[in-house]
Amino acid sequence: MTAALSLRSTRSAHDPKLMVRLAAAAHEIRTLSIAAIYHAGSGHPGGALSVADVLAALYGAEMNVWPERLADPDRDRFVLSKGHAAPALYAAGAHFGFCTADEALTLRKLGSPFQGHPHVADLPWVETSTGSLGQGFSVALGMAMGLKLKKSPARVYAVLGDGELQEGEVWEAAMCAAHHRVDNLLAIVDYNKLQSDDTNSNIMGVQPLDAKFRAFGWHVIEIDGHDLDAIVSALEEAFEIAGRPAAVLAHTVKGKGVPFMENVPQWHGSVKLSRQQAEDALKALGCTTNDIARWLDVRN
C-alpha cells in the first residue's frame, strides 16, 4: 500500500524513485485485475490492462485524494467513465489503500460491493456509478462545474474509452465544458483503438480525435499511454491550462502486457479465463510461481 504524492508540490524533474513506484503500481494493477477476473468467471481484461499505467500515475502521483480524507470537500474526484474497466480501478484502490487486495478479488461475487461496474452506493471512494458509456463523463463535468461554483481547488479526472467517444453525449459534454471554461476538468482517453467486437475504425471511426477536441475548444495533449514519464508530464501540462478544459489522448494497447490478449478484440470482455489462461497471463506479466499461487489459489 502506498499513498499518493501530489505532483503539485513537486513540479520539477521527475524523481526516478517515483517512476519506479508508479511502475510497480501499474504492475500490481494488471496482476490483480487478471486474478479478479479469473475468480469472477467474467470481466473485461483488455481495457483493464490498457488503462493500468494511467491509473497508476493518477492515484500515485497526481490526484489529491487519500483513503483517510474521503469526506474532504476539496478532494480531487476521479470518474471511470469506461466503467467496464472496474477491475483496474479496484486494483488501483487496493494498491493505494482504499480497499484490500482480497476485497478486490471478490469482483462480481454475489453480495460483494465490487460489482462488474463501479457503484457509488457500495464503495465510499467511488464518486459515481458508471457503465452506460458517456454518462460518466457528463457526471464528471457536472462535478467540475459545481466545484468551480464553490471556488474549490479540487479537480475532476475522467477516463474514457475511445469507443465510448461514439456516444453523442460525450460531445455534448465536451461542448458544454469548453463553453463554460471548465478548466478543472481533465479528460483522459484510453486510446487503444478497439472495442467489444472489432476495431473502432471498422465499427464507427472516431478519428481525428485531436482535431475534434481542439475544434470543441479543448487543450489537447497526445502521449504514449504506457510511458509513465510521458503520462506524468501530460498531467503537469494539463494542470497549468487555464480558461479551458484539457484532454489527454493516451495511445495504448488493449491487453497490454499479455501477448495473447494484446490487440485482440475478443479479450475486451466479458470473458471467462481458464486456470491456464490466468497462469499464462500472470507469467507474461512477470509473476513468479509463488505470486501466481497467491493470486489464483485464494478462496473468496
Side-chain angles (χ1 to χ4, degrees):
M1 308 296 183
T2 181
L5 170 65
S6 175
L7 289 171
R8 298 176 195 181
S9 60
T10 58
R11 296 265 171 191
S12 56
H14 301 154
D15 180 359
K17 292 182 180 179
L18 173 62
M19 294 298 110
V20 171
R21 291 197 298 272
L22 296 184
H27 169 75
E28 185 164 328
I29 290 169
R30 289 190 170 95
T31 299
L32 183 51
S33 294
I34 290 294
I37 292 168
Y38 165 72
H39 287 291
S42 65
H44 296 72
L49 294 172
S50 65
V51 79
D53 300 294
V54 167
L55 291 179
L58 284 171
Y59 277 97
E62 172 68 7
M63 295 193 300
N64 283 328
V65 58
W66 296 273
E68 66 275 11
R69 290 175 55 188
L70 293 176
D72 184 347
D74 290 332
R75 72 190 183 281
D76 288 339
R77 273 70 165 174
F78 175 74
V79 175
L80 183 67
S81 195
K82 49 170 282 179
H84 53 275
L89 175 61
Y90 302 154
H95 186 81
F96 292 105
F98 294 88
C99 63
T100 69
D102 287 342
E103 288 172 331
L105 287 175
T106 65
L107 172 72
R108 295 185 175 225
K109 297 293 185 182
L110 186 64
S112 169
F114 295 82
Q115 296 191 28
H117 291 74
H119 191 245
V120 65
D122 287 331
L123 296 173
W125 51 279
V126 168
E127 297 289 352
T128 188
S129 302
T130 57
S132 184
L133 296 177
Q135 291 185 1
F137 186 47
S138 294
V139 174
L141 169 61
M143 290 177 179
M145 294 178 73
L147 289 166
K148 282 186 74 71
L149 287 172
K150 292 180 178 180
K151 302 187 184 305
S152 170
R155 292 171 62 81
V156 181
Y157 299 81
V159 169
L160 301 94
D162 50 353
E164 183 175 6
L165 302 185
Q166 295 163 351
E167 298 284 351
E169 181 174 356
V170 168
W171 298 105
E172 292 179 77
M175 180 169 55
C176 178
H179 176 80
H180 291 285
R181 302 181 180 274
V182 186
D183 53 9
N184 60 339
L185 173 66
L186 176 61
I188 304 173
V189 178
D190 182 15
Y191 200 1
N192 59 40
K193 322 299 188 300
L194 297 175
Q195 54 193 104
S196 60
D197 299 313
D198 203 343
T199 62
N200 296 336
S201 58
N202 283 340
I203 293 175
M204 186 163 63
V206 296
Q207 283 278 44
L209 280 187
D210 55 344
K212 285 178 179 175
F213 271 104
R214 288 191 180 100
F216 274 78
W218 287 58
H219 179 82
V220 178
I221 308 164
E222 283 199 77
I223 58 168
D224 176 348
H226 300 306
D227 181 335
L228 287 163
D229 193 74
I231 298 169
V232 170
S233 293
L235 295 174
E236 291 174 340
E237 180 179 338
F239 182 82
E240 301 298 333
I241 300 303
R244 54 177 170 160
V248 173
L249 306 183
H251 292 269
T252 60
V253 175
K254 198 144 197 169
K256 176 67 175 177
V258 179
F260 67 86
M261 293 184 180
E262 289 186 350
N263 290 318
V264 180
Q266 287 73 19
W267 289 105
H268 170 89
S270 181
V271 298
K272 181 176 182 177
L273 290 173
S274 69
R275 173 69 184 224
Q276 189 61 57
Q277 287 170 332
E279 288 188 7
D280 289 345
L282 293 179
K283 286 178 184 176
L285 291 170
C287 292
T288 66
T289 301
N290 287 339
D291 291 335
I292 292 171
R294 184 264 184 270
W295 292 118
L296 301 188
D297 291 338
V298 298
R299 294 289 180 264
N300 50 39

